[in-house]
Amino acid sequence: MTILLAGGAGYIGSHTAVSLLEAGHDVVIVDNYINSSPAAVDRVEELTGRTVTRYRADVTDKAAMTAIFAENTIDCVIHFAGLKAVGESGRVPLRYYRNNLDTTLTLLECMAAAGVKRIVFSSSATVYGDENPVPYVETMRRGGSSHPYGWTKIMMEQIFEDTAKADSDLSVVLLRYFNPIGAHPSGRLGEDPRGVPNNLMPYITQVAVGRRDRLTVFGGDYPTPDGTCRRDYLHIMDLAEGHLRAVEYAMAHTGTEVFNLGTGTPYSVLEIVHAFESASGVAIPCTIGPRRPGDLPQFWADPSKAERVLGWKARRSLEDMCRDSWNWQRQNPMGYGENKE
Ligand code: NAD
Ligand code: UD1
């Protein structure tokens, strides 16, 4: 099959590309590199010994996307292309609504015009909002969000559902990711945020490699066993393999289906720090600071539907996640080398 990865040069897309290529599929990557580097695609090719068809284009550019759909026979689309920094989304909400909604609308319109009927979408655990009890189950209603990024995911899920309702041939798989960390075990691919990392693991690895002095733990007085927030961290290669299963599912079904991709086991911020320290042998200086606005005390997935329906289960351990994150950062202290700091 030929799979188009919109935003495929990014953290999740590049690892997914490796899994798809290794499974024998062909991959077309469309990315404007607003938050990634073409070097990631070079490394996908190097790791797999396969060639990726690639386009530098904005997924909101309908003329460019129409031409890409005309030049390639696409069996399925995976839509990763979006902006994802929660704090920034509050400062420039229109940029987030414009980019995230427009990439989705443009892809769906181009797919309709080209007769492409299968799409897998990068949604997020954030759509459960703060009203649902843990663990989150797919049957729960979507909640609201405290930030525009979260609202874009909620709105895009609705757009997909409505579009699939109106076209009975369309197949939509909404994947609600929990907290992906880790890297390809080779250390050649990994997470390379621009500027100061928002997310926990890249911050820890940048402290470990000497780019930052110390980690600030956002809040030590939550109602959790050690007072720090708990999340469901999963290995990026497990997440990548989940996309392979989701594409296979999309090829065989129609309508909309939602899956949590997580391990079902929460770890606290301090547990992650300690696991990283023992996997890497590097001490991470920490200070407990104030809570980060909008953070929930704890959430994790009920991942049983993905196992039951997709045959997917996260297999890699927290030790694997920490070792591979460190292996990537140690080998690539400045990531892909295009950070403008
Ligand atoms: P990323 O920023 O590394 O990847 C997104 C990619 O999309 C980047 O390569 C970026 O350059 C590209 N892109 C953005 N807007 C584009 C546009 N208009 N045209 C072309 N390319 C565009 O992020 P990621 O971590 O790989 O996340 C992928 C998707 O998964 C995003 O939609 C994100 O919201 C979602 N998600 C991520 C996480 C996470 O923890 N990483 C959690 C839940 C959901
Ligand atoms: C955040 C987003 C979420 C998004 C996800 C993946 C918020 C409120 N939520 O989730 O919408 O889908 O990223 O991009 O931003 N932490 C520290 N110090 C740090 C960084 C993080 O203590 O320097 C803590 C956080 O408080 C949190 C945990 O580490 O408890 C994980 O943080 P992060 O990696 O940002 O993920 P989420 O908060 O789950």
Side-chain angles (χ1 to χ4, degrees):
M1 282 189 286
T2 302
I3 320 219
L4 185 148
L5 309 190
Y11 174 46
I12 303 172
S14 57
H15 291 79
T16 300
V18 169
S19 290
L20 294 170
L21 289 160
E22 284 178 346
H25 300 302
D26 292 321
V27 164
V28 176
I29 288 182
V30 183
D31 207 299
N32 61 1
Y33 305 111
I34 193 165
N35 196 40
S36 56
S37 163
V41 186
D42 297 340
R43 292 188 184 189
V44 167
E45 292 186 330
E46 163 205 305
L47 284 169
T48 58
R50 301 275 312 278
T51 303
V52 171
T53 305
R54 55 171 107 182
Y55 295 91
R56 180 188 285 266
D58 193 311
V59 176
T60 66
D61 180 343
K62 195 151 179 198
M65 293 308 294
T66 301
I68 291 167
F69 275 94
E71 281 167 26
N72 299 276
T73 305
I74 304 297
D75 296 293
C76 184
V77 172
I78 310 182
H79 178 17
F80 300 102
L83 300 173
K84 62 164 187 176
V86 168
E88 184 186 62
S89 78
R91 292 190 293 277
V92 284
L94 292 182
R95 196 167 160 240
Y96 273 67
Y97 285 114
R98 170 65 72 191
N99 190 69
N100 292 3
L101 298 184
D102 231 0
T103 50
T104 301
L105 296 171
T106 305
L107 277 173
L108 284 170
E109 287 170 355
C110 289
M111 285 171 61
V116 177
K117 296 292 185 186
R118 323 267 152 203
I119 185 161
V120 175
F121 174 60
S122 299
S123 191
S124 166
T126 198
V127 303
Y128 288 104
D130 58 6
E131 296 113 67
N132 286 301
V134 288
Y136 293 153
V137 188
E138 292 89 343
T139 47
M140 290 170 174
R141 289 176 69 84
R142 281 189 288 265
S145 181
S146 58
H147 44 82
Y149 166 75
W151 279 113
T152 69
K153 292 293 180 197
I154 294 163
M155 290 176 184
M156 290 187 282
E157 284 203 357
Q158 188 67 47
I159 290 169
F160 279 114
E161 283 178 7
D162 290 342
T163 311
K165 253 187 231 156
D167 178 355
S168 58
D169 294 331
L170 195 63
S171 176
V172 170
V173 178
L174 304 176
L175 296 180
R176 293 181 180 159
Y177 310 151
F178 281 70
N179 289 62
I181 59 174
H184 190 272
S186 65
R188 298 293 289 159
L189 287 179
E191 186 168 14
D192 183 23
R194 284 173 198 248
V196 181
N198 299 301
N199 297 116
L200 179 62
M201 186 53 86
Y203 204 104
I204 290 175
T205 59
Q206 290 194 11
V207 172
V209 85
R211 281 170 68 179
R212 318 227 164 249
D213 291 341
R214 58 200 303 114
L215 173 74
T216 301
V217 176
F218 297 145
D221 58 352
Y222 282 99
T224 57
D226 66 14
T228 66
C229 293
R230 297 201 297 168
R231 295 288 184 271
D232 183 338
Y233 297 92
L234 79 159
H235 196 293
I236 186 71
M237 292 312 300
D238 280 327
L239 184 63
E241 288 159 18
H243 290 78
L244 187 57
R245 298 280 96 81
V247 167
E248 288 161 358
Y249 182 89
M251 294 308 295
H253 297 82
T254 55
T256 303
E257 207 57 67
V258 185
F259 296 100
N260 288 338
L261 295 184
T263 65
T265 304
Y267 289 105
S268 73
V269 176
L270 291 179
E271 285 173 320
I272 296 293
V273 171
H274 296 141
F276 183 86
E277 289 179 326
S278 57
S280 66
V282 181
I284 303 297
C286 290
T287 310
I288 306 278
R291 293 181 178 194
R292 180 170 66 179
D295 273 348
L296 296 178
Q298 54 181 354
F299 59 83
W300 62 93
D302 175 339
S304 56
K305 183 179 175 189
E307 183 172 9
R308 196 173 62 249
V309 180
L310 298 179
W312 175 89
K313 192 176 188 315
R315 313 185 269 119
R316 294 163 177 89
S317 67
L318 179 58
E319 191 187 343
D320 296 333
M321 300 180 214
C322 293
R323 186 200 56 235
D324 291 337
S325 291
W326 175 229
N327 192 31
W328 151 255
Q329 191 75 77
R330 190 163 52 105
Q331 288 186 44
N332 306 270
M334 297 307 286
Y336 294 109
E338 292 190 351
N339 279 294
K340 315 232 174 357
E341 290 180 89

